[in-house]
Amino acid sequence: MTSANIEMAVYCFDVIYAQLNRQKDPTVPREIPDVKLPLFVTWKKGVHHDLRGCIGTFSDLRLGEGLNEYAKTSAFHDSRFKPITKEEVPSLQCGVSLLINFENIHNYRDWTIGRHGVRMNFNDGRRTRSAVFLPEVASEQGWNHVETIDHLIRKSGYNDYITEELRQSLRIVRFQSSKIVLDYKDYVQYKQHHGQPIPH
C-alpha cells in the first residue's frame, strides 16, 4: 500500500510557489511513487490552522499529476476562499491525503469517527447532491454521527428540513486515508537539509 510521505507535501509547496512566481512546474520527486490513487490536498493557515482550501478527487490519478493539479486547485480555485497569495505561504500548512479502503455502507452511523471519511449523495427530487468529509473532520469539529451527516447534507447545498428519513436514504461510502501534514517551517528545513533552493 502506498503511504503519504513528506515529499508529497514538499512537492505541493513547490508547485504553488512555481505558480505564484509564474515559473514552470517543478519535477516530480523520485520519492513520489508512480501509482494511481484518489487524493485530496488541504491548505490551512495560521496558529489555529484555519481552513484555506481543500479539494481533491475520488478518481484514480497518477500521483505526481494529481498532487500537481490539486495543490493548485485547492490553493487557487476553492470557491469558498480567495486565491492564496505569495505573502500567505509562510503561514501555511499543507496536508496530503491518499484515499484508501472504500466501502459502501447501508446505515449512516456505520463508520468510526476519527478513522473513516464519508462521502454521500442523494437526490432531493430536483437534483443529485453530494459532499465529502475527510476522516479527520468529524473529530476535529467534535461532531457525533448525526451532526456529521447533517453538516454533510448542508455542505451539499441542501437547505430544507433534515429528517431521519432523509438520513436513512443517503447513499454513503466510508473510506480511510493515509495523511501527511507539513508546516511551512518544516518545508524550509526539508529544503535546507537536502540542499535545495527555497523559493520566495
Side-chain angles (χ1 to χ4, degrees), residues 164-181:
E164 180 63 15
E165 183 182 15
L166 174 59
R167 294 186 193 106
Q168 296 284 1
S169 74
L170 301 175
R171 294 181 294 276
I172 299 180
V173 175
R174 70 183 186 188
F175 61 91
Q176 294 170 266
S177 72
S178 171
K179 184 169 185 180
I180 185 79
V181 174

Side-chain angles (χ1 to χ4, degrees), residues 70-119:
Y70 286 96
K72 294 176 190 170
T73 304
S74 58
F76 307 122
H77 303 293
D78 187 327
S79 60
R80 298 169 293 179
F81 306 99
K82 292 181 179 178
I84 284 172
T85 64
K86 193 189 295 190
E87 291 71 33
E88 289 180 275
V89 176
S91 64
L92 292 180
Q93 177 192 77
C94 178
V96 173
S97 301
L98 307 182
L99 309 187
I100 54 175
N101 299 342
F102 291 86
E103 300 172 288
N104 292 306
I105 59 174
H106 304 292
N107 180 323
Y108 70 84
R109 298 174 188 263
D110 185 18
W111 54 279
T112 303
I113 292 171
R115 181 179 181 190
H116 292 113
V118 279
R119 178 180 66 169

Side-chain angles (χ1 to χ4, degrees), residues 52-84:
R52 196 61 185 78
C54 178
I55 299 182
T57 179
F58 284 89
S59 301
D60 285 336
L61 287 185
R62 198 168 297 283
L63 209 42
E65 295 170 12
L67 290 169
N68 183 309
E69 178 178 347
Y70 286 96
K72 294 176 190 170
T73 304
S74 58
F76 307 122
H77 303 293
D78 187 327
S79 60
R80 298 169 293 179
F81 306 99
K82 292 181 179 178
I84 284 172

